[in-house]
Amino acid sequence: MPGSVIVREERAGEVARPVPVRWVWLAAWPVTAVFVLSNAATPLYVLWQRDIGFSRGTLTVIFAFYIVGLLGSLLVSGVASDRFGRKRVLLPALGLALVACAVFATASTVPALVVARLFTGVAVGAVVSAGMAAVTDVAGPARGRLAALLASCAMVFGAGLGPLLAGVLSETLPGPTVTVFAVEAVLLALAVLAVARAPLARPAPGTGAWVRLPRVPRGDGGLLIPGVAVFAPGITATSFVLSLGPSLLSGLLGTTSRVVAGALAFAMFLSATAVQFAVRALSRRVILLAGAASTAAGTLALIAAVRTSSVLALVACALLAGAGQGMGQLGGLSLLNSGVAPRRLAEANAALNVGGYLPAGLLPVSAGYLSDAVGLTTGATVFGVALTALAVAGGVAVLAGGAAGSRRVVLP
Protein backbone atom coordinates (compact mmCIF):
# COMPACT_ATOMS: atom_id res chain seq x y z
CA MET A 1 0.00 0.00 0.00
CA PRO A 2 1.59 3.32 -1.03
CA GLY A 3 2.22 5.68 1.83
CA SER A 4 1.80 2.91 4.40
CA VAL A 5 3.89 0.67 6.56
CA ILE A 6 2.84 -3.00 6.44
CA VAL A 7 3.83 -5.12 9.40
CA ARG A 8 2.94 -8.74 8.63
CA GLU A 9 3.60 -10.45 11.94
CA GLU A 10 1.17 -9.94 14.79
CA ARG A 11 3.47 -10.06 17.77
CA ALA A 12 3.42 -8.33 21.11
CA GLY A 13 5.48 -5.18 20.99
CA GLU A 14 4.77 -4.47 17.32
CA VAL A 15 1.94 -2.76 15.43
CA ALA A 16 0.08 -5.50 13.53
CA ARG A 17 -1.78 -3.63 10.79
CA PRO A 18 -1.16 -1.18 7.96
CA VAL A 19 -0.25 2.25 9.33
CA PRO A 20 -0.39 5.41 7.19
CA VAL A 21 2.91 7.28 7.19
CA ARG A 22 1.28 10.37 8.69
CA TRP A 23 0.89 8.44 11.96
CA VAL A 24 4.66 8.15 12.25
CA TRP A 25 4.83 11.96 12.33
CA LEU A 26 1.82 12.28 14.62
CA ALA A 27 3.29 9.74 17.02
CA ALA A 28 6.23 12.11 17.48
CA TRP A 29 3.99 15.02 18.50
CA PRO A 30 3.63 14.02 22.20
CA VAL A 31 7.44 13.98 22.41
CA THR A 32 7.56 17.51 21.01
CA ALA A 33 4.76 18.80 23.25
CA VAL A 34 6.30 17.51 26.48
CA PHE A 35 9.74 18.79 25.55
CA VAL A 36 8.25 22.23 24.87
CA LEU A 37 7.24 22.15 28.54
CA SER A 38 10.67 20.89 29.62
CA ASN A 39 12.36 24.17 28.70
CA ALA A 40 9.46 26.65 28.58
CA ALA A 41 10.43 28.00 32.00
CA THR A 42 14.01 28.88 30.94
CA PRO A 43 13.41 32.56 29.95
CA LEU A 44 11.04 33.06 32.90
CA TYR A 45 13.56 32.36 35.66
CA VAL A 46 14.73 35.98 35.55
CA LEU A 47 11.18 36.99 36.51
CA TRP A 48 10.99 34.48 39.33
CA GLN A 49 14.46 35.45 40.55
CA ARG A 50 13.37 39.08 40.66
CA ASP A 51 10.03 38.39 42.36
CA ILE A 52 11.04 35.56 44.70
CA GLY A 53 14.77 36.14 45.09
CA PHE A 54 17.20 33.21 44.81
CA SER A 55 20.83 32.61 43.82
CA ARG A 56 22.37 30.93 40.76
CA GLY A 57 23.00 27.87 42.92
CA THR A 58 19.30 27.68 43.85
CA LEU A 59 18.42 28.10 40.19
CA THR A 60 20.50 25.08 39.21
CA VAL A 61 18.90 23.08 42.07
CA ILE A 62 15.43 23.95 40.69
CA PHE A 63 16.66 22.81 37.31
CA ALA A 64 18.12 19.62 38.82
CA PHE A 65 14.79 18.56 40.32
CA TYR A 66 13.69 18.09 36.75
CA ILE A 67 16.54 15.59 36.40
CA VAL A 68 15.48 13.91 39.67
CA GLY A 69 11.93 13.43 38.37
CA LEU A 70 13.16 12.29 34.99
CA LEU A 71 15.58 9.70 36.38
CA GLY A 72 12.99 8.40 38.85
CA SER A 73 10.50 8.07 36.00
CA LEU A 74 13.02 6.21 33.85
CA LEU A 75 13.40 3.56 36.55
CA VAL A 76 9.76 2.60 35.99
CA SER A 77 8.40 3.95 32.71
CA GLY A 78 10.51 1.91 30.30
CA VAL A 79 9.63 -1.43 31.87
CA ALA A 80 6.00 -0.42 32.43
CA SER A 81 5.66 0.71 28.81
CA ASP A 82 7.03 -2.56 27.46
CA ARG A 83 4.69 -4.59 29.68
CA PHE A 84 1.50 -2.48 29.88
CA GLY A 85 1.69 -0.71 26.53
CA ARG A 86 2.69 2.79 25.48
CA LYS A 87 -0.70 4.43 26.02
CA ARG A 88 -0.99 3.39 29.67
CA VAL A 89 2.27 5.18 30.38
CA LEU A 90 1.93 8.17 28.08
CA LEU A 91 -1.59 9.29 28.99
CA PRO A 92 -0.88 9.62 32.77
CA ALA A 93 2.42 11.33 31.93
CA LEU A 94 0.64 13.90 29.78
CA GLY A 95 -1.86 14.44 32.60
CA LEU A 96 1.00 15.12 35.01
CA ALA A 97 2.50 17.54 32.49
CA LEU A 98 -0.79 19.46 32.49
CA VAL A 99 -0.63 19.65 36.30
CA ALA A 100 2.94 20.99 36.00
CA CYS A 101 1.62 23.73 33.70
CA ALA A 102 -0.89 24.79 36.34
CA VAL A 103 1.79 24.88 39.07
CA PHE A 104 4.18 26.89 36.91
CA ALA A 105 1.44 29.36 35.99
CA THR A 106 0.69 30.12 39.66
CA ALA A 107 4.16 29.67 41.20
CA SER A 108 5.20 32.28 43.77
CA THR A 109 7.73 30.30 45.84
CA VAL A 110 10.83 28.20 45.25
CA PRO A 111 9.07 25.00 46.45
CA ALA A 112 6.35 25.55 43.84
CA LEU A 113 8.98 25.81 41.12
CA VAL A 114 10.65 22.66 42.45
CA VAL A 115 7.35 20.75 42.32
CA ALA A 116 6.62 21.95 38.80
CA ARG A 117 10.08 20.96 37.61
CA LEU A 118 9.80 17.58 39.36
CA PHE A 119 6.46 16.82 37.66
CA THR A 120 7.89 17.95 34.33
CA GLY A 121 10.83 15.58 34.76
CA VAL A 122 8.52 12.64 35.46
CA ALA A 123 6.54 13.39 32.30
CA VAL A 124 9.69 13.75 30.23
CA GLY A 125 11.05 10.46 31.57
CA ALA A 126 7.93 8.68 30.37
CA VAL A 127 8.14 10.34 26.97
CA VAL A 128 11.79 9.58 26.27
CA SER A 129 11.18 5.90 27.01
CA ALA A 130 7.57 5.14 26.02
CA GLY A 131 7.05 8.04 23.61
CA MET A 132 10.14 7.42 21.53
CA ALA A 133 9.42 3.69 21.48
CA ALA A 134 5.88 4.51 20.32
CA VAL A 135 7.28 6.31 17.29
CA THR A 136 9.27 3.18 16.42
CA ASP A 137 6.21 0.96 16.99
CA VAL A 138 4.08 3.02 14.61
CA ALA A 139 6.80 3.25 11.98
CA GLY A 140 7.35 -0.51 11.92
CA PRO A 141 10.58 -2.41 11.22
CA ALA A 142 10.84 -1.09 7.66
CA ARG A 143 11.16 2.49 8.91
CA GLY A 144 13.22 2.09 12.04
CA ARG A 145 15.81 4.61 10.89
CA LEU A 146 13.15 7.18 10.06
CA ALA A 147 11.63 6.57 13.51
CA ALA A 148 14.97 7.27 15.21
CA LEU A 149 15.39 10.50 13.27
CA LEU A 150 11.85 11.74 13.93
CA ALA A 151 11.87 10.81 17.63
CA SER A 152 15.22 12.48 18.18
CA CYS A 153 14.30 15.61 16.23
CA ALA A 154 10.92 15.83 18.00
CA MET A 155 12.79 15.93 21.31
CA VAL A 156 15.32 18.60 20.41
CA PHE A 157 12.90 20.72 18.38
CA GLY A 158 10.43 20.78 21.27
CA ALA A 159 13.23 21.57 23.70
CA GLY A 160 14.18 24.57 21.55
CA LEU A 161 10.66 25.73 20.74
CA GLY A 162 9.72 25.92 24.43
CA PRO A 163 12.08 28.75 25.46
CA LEU A 164 11.52 30.71 22.24
CA LEU A 165 7.74 30.51 22.60
CA ALA A 166 7.96 31.42 26.28
CA GLY A 167 10.30 34.33 25.61
CA VAL A 168 8.13 35.87 22.91
CA LEU A 169 4.80 35.33 24.69
CA SER A 170 6.07 36.60 28.03
CA GLU A 171 7.46 39.78 26.48
CA THR A 172 4.47 40.59 24.28
CA LEU A 173 1.37 39.45 26.18
CA PRO A 174 0.06 40.23 29.69
CA GLY A 175 0.37 37.75 32.53
CA PRO A 176 3.61 36.23 31.20
CA THR A 177 3.72 33.01 33.19
CA VAL A 178 0.00 32.32 32.93
CA THR A 179 -0.06 32.98 29.18
CA VAL A 180 2.95 30.79 28.44
CA PHE A 181 1.65 27.77 30.30
CA ALA A 182 -1.91 28.19 29.05
CA VAL A 183 -0.59 27.88 25.49
CA GLU A 184 1.51 24.87 26.49
CA ALA A 185 -1.57 23.25 28.03
CA VAL A 186 -3.27 23.44 24.63
CA LEU A 187 -0.27 21.75 22.99
CA LEU A 188 -0.40 18.98 25.61
CA ALA A 189 -4.13 18.50 25.10
CA LEU A 190 -3.48 17.92 21.39
CA ALA A 191 -0.82 15.38 22.38
CA VAL A 192 -3.38 13.53 24.51
CA LEU A 193 -5.63 13.25 21.46
CA ALA A 194 -2.75 11.97 19.33
CA VAL A 195 -1.85 9.26 21.87
CA ALA A 196 -5.49 8.25 22.37
CA ARG A 197 -5.94 7.64 18.65
CA ALA A 198 -2.52 6.29 17.73
CA PRO A 199 -2.26 2.66 16.52
CA LEU A 200 0.28 1.65 19.14
CA ALA A 201 1.73 -1.77 19.81
CA ARG A 202 0.23 -4.36 22.13
CA PRO A 203 2.14 -4.86 25.39
CA ALA A 204 4.48 -7.80 25.79
CA PRO A 205 4.70 -10.04 28.87
CA GLY A 206 7.86 -9.67 30.91
CA THR A 207 9.61 -10.80 34.04
CA GLY A 208 11.81 -9.18 36.64
CA ALA A 209 11.51 -6.17 38.92
CA TRP A 210 9.28 -3.25 37.99
CA VAL A 211 11.55 -0.61 39.47
CA ARG A 212 15.09 -1.18 38.29
CA LEU A 213 17.96 0.54 36.58
CA PRO A 214 17.03 0.38 32.89
CA ARG A 215 19.22 -1.86 30.76
CA VAL A 216 19.48 -3.41 27.35
CA PRO A 217 19.15 -7.17 26.75
CA ARG A 218 22.21 -9.29 27.42
CA GLY A 219 24.67 -9.00 24.54
CA ASP A 220 23.38 -5.59 23.37
CA GLY A 221 25.70 -3.49 25.52
CA GLY A 222 27.70 -2.57 22.43
CA LEU A 223 24.58 -0.81 21.11
CA LEU A 224 24.24 1.29 24.26
CA ILE A 225 27.71 2.30 25.44
CA PRO A 226 28.86 4.37 22.42
CA GLY A 227 25.61 6.36 22.42
CA VAL A 228 25.78 7.12 26.14
CA ALA A 229 29.47 8.10 25.87
CA VAL A 230 28.62 10.86 23.36
CA PHE A 231 25.05 11.76 24.33
CA ALA A 232 25.92 12.37 28.00
CA PRO A 233 28.48 15.17 27.45
CA GLY A 234 26.26 16.69 24.73
CA ILE A 235 23.14 16.97 26.85
CA THR A 236 25.21 18.14 29.82
CA ALA A 237 26.50 21.02 27.71
CA THR A 238 23.00 22.03 26.59
CA SER A 239 21.73 21.71 30.17
CA PHE A 240 24.39 24.17 31.32
CA VAL A 241 23.41 26.68 28.64
CA LEU A 242 19.75 26.32 29.60
CA SER A 243 20.31 26.75 33.33
CA LEU A 244 22.99 29.45 33.37
CA GLY A 245 22.74 30.87 29.85
CA PRO A 246 20.47 33.76 30.94
CA SER A 247 23.00 34.68 33.67
CA LEU A 248 25.80 34.63 31.10
CA LEU A 249 23.76 36.79 28.74
CA SER A 250 23.07 39.23 31.54
CA GLY A 251 26.77 39.48 32.33
CA LEU A 252 27.94 39.72 28.71
CA LEU A 253 25.16 41.85 27.22
CA GLY A 254 23.71 43.50 30.28
CA THR A 255 20.28 42.27 29.19
CA THR A 256 17.56 40.32 30.92
CA SER A 257 15.42 40.11 27.76
CA ARG A 258 13.43 36.91 27.80
CA VAL A 259 13.23 36.96 24.00
CA VAL A 260 17.04 37.00 23.73
CA ALA A 261 17.39 34.17 26.26
CA GLY A 262 14.69 32.15 24.49
CA ALA A 263 16.24 32.82 21.08
CA LEU A 264 19.64 31.54 22.28
CA ALA A 265 18.09 28.29 23.53
CA PHE A 266 16.03 27.96 20.33
CA ALA A 267 19.13 28.44 18.18
CA MET A 268 20.90 25.76 20.19
CA PHE A 269 18.18 23.18 19.64
CA LEU A 270 17.53 24.26 16.06
CA SER A 271 21.18 23.39 15.50
CA ALA A 272 20.53 20.01 17.16
CA THR A 273 17.58 19.40 14.82
CA ALA A 274 19.22 20.57 11.59
CA VAL A 275 22.45 18.65 12.10
CA GLN A 276 20.57 15.35 12.40
CA PHE A 277 19.06 15.78 8.95
CA ALA A 278 22.44 16.84 7.61
CA VAL A 279 24.32 13.76 8.87
CA ARG A 280 21.63 11.10 8.55
CA ALA A 281 23.38 9.34 5.64
CA LEU A 282 26.70 8.98 7.48
CA SER A 283 27.75 5.90 9.40
CA ARG A 284 26.75 5.77 13.04
CA ARG A 285 30.38 5.79 14.10
CA VAL A 286 31.07 8.98 12.14
CA ILE A 287 27.93 10.62 13.56
CA LEU A 288 28.97 9.80 17.11
CA LEU A 289 32.57 10.94 16.60
CA ALA A 290 31.33 14.21 15.08
CA GLY A 291 29.00 14.63 18.06
CA ALA A 292 31.86 14.20 20.53
CA ALA A 293 34.02 16.68 18.61
CA SER A 294 31.21 19.23 18.44
CA THR A 295 30.58 19.03 22.19
CA ALA A 296 34.29 19.46 22.93
CA ALA A 297 34.47 22.47 20.63
CA GLY A 298 31.36 23.92 22.25
CA THR A 299 32.78 23.73 25.75
CA LEU A 300 36.01 25.36 24.57
CA ALA A 301 33.86 28.14 23.09
CA LEU A 302 32.16 28.45 26.49
CA ILE A 303 35.52 28.98 28.16
CA ALA A 304 36.41 31.61 25.56
CA ALA A 305 33.05 33.34 26.04
CA VAL A 306 33.35 33.79 29.80
CA ARG A 307 37.04 34.70 29.76
CA THR A 308 36.83 37.24 26.94
CA SER A 309 33.22 38.44 27.46
CA SER A 310 32.47 37.46 23.87
CA VAL A 311 28.84 37.16 22.85
CA LEU A 312 29.85 35.50 19.57
CA ALA A 313 31.74 32.82 21.49
CA LEU A 314 28.65 32.20 23.65
CA VAL A 315 26.49 31.80 20.54
CA ALA A 316 29.09 29.42 19.07
CA CYS A 317 29.01 27.46 22.33
CA ALA A 318 25.23 27.08 22.11
CA LEU A 319 25.25 26.02 18.45
CA LEU A 320 28.07 23.52 18.90
CA ALA A 321 26.56 22.12 22.11
CA GLY A 322 23.22 21.65 20.34
CA ALA A 323 24.90 19.88 17.43
CA GLY A 324 26.80 17.64 19.84
CA GLN A 325 23.64 16.61 21.66
CA GLY A 326 21.75 16.08 18.42
CA MET A 327 24.35 13.80 16.88
CA GLY A 328 24.90 11.88 20.11
CA GLN A 329 21.18 11.36 20.46
CA LEU A 330 20.63 10.32 16.84
CA GLY A 331 23.55 7.92 16.90
CA GLY A 332 22.46 6.42 20.22
CA LEU A 333 18.81 5.94 19.23
CA SER A 334 19.75 4.54 15.83
CA LEU A 335 22.02 1.95 17.41
CA LEU A 336 19.26 0.83 19.76
CA ASN A 337 16.63 0.71 17.00
CA SER A 338 19.00 -1.39 14.86
CA GLY A 339 19.35 -4.28 17.27
CA VAL A 340 17.10 -4.16 20.35
CA ALA A 341 13.87 -6.19 20.18
CA PRO A 342 10.66 -4.08 20.17
CA ARG A 343 9.50 -5.64 23.45
CA ARG A 344 12.59 -4.19 25.20
CA LEU A 345 12.99 -0.96 23.23
CA ALA A 346 11.37 1.44 25.71
CA GLU A 347 13.62 0.17 28.50
CA ALA A 348 16.65 0.51 26.23
CA ASN A 349 15.67 4.11 25.44
CA ALA A 350 15.36 4.71 29.18
CA ALA A 351 18.86 3.30 29.71
CA LEU A 352 20.30 5.68 27.11
CA ASN A 353 18.67 8.64 28.80
CA VAL A 354 19.67 7.62 32.33
CA GLY A 355 23.26 7.55 31.14
CA GLY A 356 22.85 10.97 29.57
CA TYR A 357 20.87 12.81 32.21
CA LEU A 358 22.88 11.77 35.27
CA PRO A 359 25.83 14.03 34.41
CA ALA A 360 23.43 16.59 32.95
CA GLY A 361 21.91 16.94 36.42
CA LEU A 362 25.04 16.78 38.54
CA LEU A 363 27.59 18.86 36.64
CA PRO A 364 25.54 22.04 36.00
CA VAL A 365 24.44 22.10 39.67
CA SER A 366 28.07 21.81 40.74
CA ALA A 367 29.00 24.57 38.30
CA GLY A 368 26.20 26.80 39.62
CA TYR A 369 27.30 26.56 43.24
CA LEU A 370 30.96 26.86 42.25
CA SER A 371 30.05 30.04 40.35
CA ASP A 372 28.37 31.46 43.47
CA ALA A 373 31.55 30.76 45.45
CA VAL A 374 34.32 31.80 43.03
CA GLY A 375 32.53 33.77 40.32
CA LEU A 376 30.82 32.84 37.09
CA THR A 377 33.99 33.08 35.00
CA THR A 378 35.98 30.60 37.10
CA GLY A 379 33.01 28.29 37.67
CA ALA A 380 32.19 28.11 33.94
CA THR A 381 35.85 27.57 33.07
CA VAL A 382 36.21 24.61 35.43
CA PHE A 383 32.97 23.16 34.08
CA GLY A 384 34.17 23.61 30.49
CA VAL A 385 37.48 21.87 31.11
CA ALA A 386 35.78 18.92 32.82
CA LEU A 387 33.18 18.54 30.09
CA THR A 388 35.76 18.79 27.32
CA ALA A 389 37.57 15.86 28.92
CA LEU A 390 34.33 13.85 29.03
CA ALA A 391 33.58 14.61 25.38
CA VAL A 392 37.06 13.47 24.33
CA ALA A 393 36.61 10.30 26.40
CA GLY A 394 33.32 9.72 24.59
CA GLY A 395 35.06 9.89 21.24
CA VAL A 396 37.66 7.39 22.44
CA ALA A 397 34.86 5.06 23.59
CA VAL A 398 33.29 5.20 20.12
CA LEU A 399 36.61 4.38 18.45
CA ALA A 400 36.94 1.40 20.77
CA GLY A 401 33.32 0.34 20.32
CA GLY A 402 33.78 -2.19 17.52
CA ALA A 403 31.61 -2.88 14.54
CA ALA A 404 28.33 -1.86 16.19
CA GLY A 405 29.14 1.80 15.60
CA SER A 406 29.81 1.31 11.88
CA ARG A 407 26.33 0.32 10.72
CA ARG A 408 24.90 2.94 8.42
CA VAL A 409 22.08 5.38 9.16
CA VAL A 410 20.57 5.70 5.66
CA LEU A 411 16.87 6.48 5.48
CA PRO A 412 14.79 4.45 3.02
Side-chain angles (χ1 to χ4, degrees), residues 238-300:
T238 57
S239 295
F240 180 86
V241 174
L242 285 171
S243 60
L244 290 180
S247 296
L248 289 170
L249 283 172
S250 177
L252 296 177
L253 292 178
T255 178
T256 57
S257 169
R258 297 184 291 280
V259 174
V260 172
L264 179 68
F266 178 73
M268 180 170 67
F269 287 110
L270 184 62
S271 170
T273 304
V275 75
Q276 293 181 66
F277 283 96
V279 304
R280 67 187 185 275
L282 301 177
S283 72
R284 294 183 175 102
R285 174 173 289 182
V286 171
I287 290 172
L288 290 169
L289 288 173
S294 184
T295 298
T299 53
L300 292 175

Side-chain angles (χ1 to χ4, degrees), residues 29-304:
W29 173 247
V31 179
T32 299
V34 171
F35 271 92
V36 169
L37 174 64
S38 72
N39 291 333
T42 297
L44 304 177
Y45 285 124
V46 292
L47 291 178
W48 286 314
Q49 281 185 296
R50 181 197 67 195
D51 297 338
I52 302 172
F54 49 83
S55 67
R56 286 191 295 266
T58 300
L59 173 58
T60 56
V61 168
I62 293 170
F63 186 86
F65 264 90
Y66 161 82
I67 307 293
V68 171
L70 186 150
L71 292 175
S73 176
L74 289 173
L75 296 178
V76 179
S77 57
V79 177
S81 171
D82 287 335
R83 295 187 188 178
F84 283 136
R86 314 304 186 209
K87 289 187 181 182
R88 293 184 179 181
V89 172
L90 289 173
L91 290 176
L94 290 168
L96 191 62
L98 286 165
V99 173
C101 282
V103 178
F104 268 130
T106 57
S108 59
T109 64
V110 168
L113 293 175
V114 166
V115 168
R117 288 294 286 172
L118 183 67
F119 286 178
T120 301
V122 173
V124 169
V127 162
V128 297
S129 54
M132 290 184 168
V135 178
T136 302
D137 289 346
V138 173
R143 294 183 181 268
R145 291 165 178 162
L146 174 64
L149 179 64
L150 291 183
S152 184
C153 287
M155 173 180 168
V156 293
F157 181 72
L161 182 61
L164 179 65
L165 188 66
V168 171
L169 292 177
S170 67
E171 289 276 11
T172 58
L173 296 176
T177 57
V178 174
T179 301
V180 167
F181 293 105
V183 171
E184 167 59 7
V186 173
L187 301 182
L188 289 168
L190 294 174
V192 170
L193 293 177
V195 171
R197 297 189 59 195
L200 297 178
R202 295 185 296 114
T207 59
W210 285 98
V211 180
R212 67 188 187 204
L213 189 66
R215 58 183 182 266
V216 294
R218 187 181 300 275
D220 286 341
L223 300 174
L224 176 66
I225 293 171
V228 170
V230 178
F231 177 51
I235 199 168
T236 301
T238 57
S239 295
F240 180 86
V241 174
L242 285 171
S243 60
L244 290 180
S247 296
L248 289 170
L249 283 172
S250 177
L252 296 177
L253 292 178
T255 178
T256 57
S257 169
R258 297 184 291 280
V259 174
V260 172
L264 179 68
F266 178 73
M268 180 170 67
F269 287 110
L270 184 62
S271 170
T273 304
V275 75
Q276 293 181 66
F277 283 96
V279 304
R280 67 187 185 275
L282 301 177
S283 72
R284 294 183 175 102
R285 174 173 289 182
V286 171
I287 290 172
L288 290 169
L289 288 173
S294 184
T295 298
T299 53
L300 292 175
L302 170 65
I303 295 171

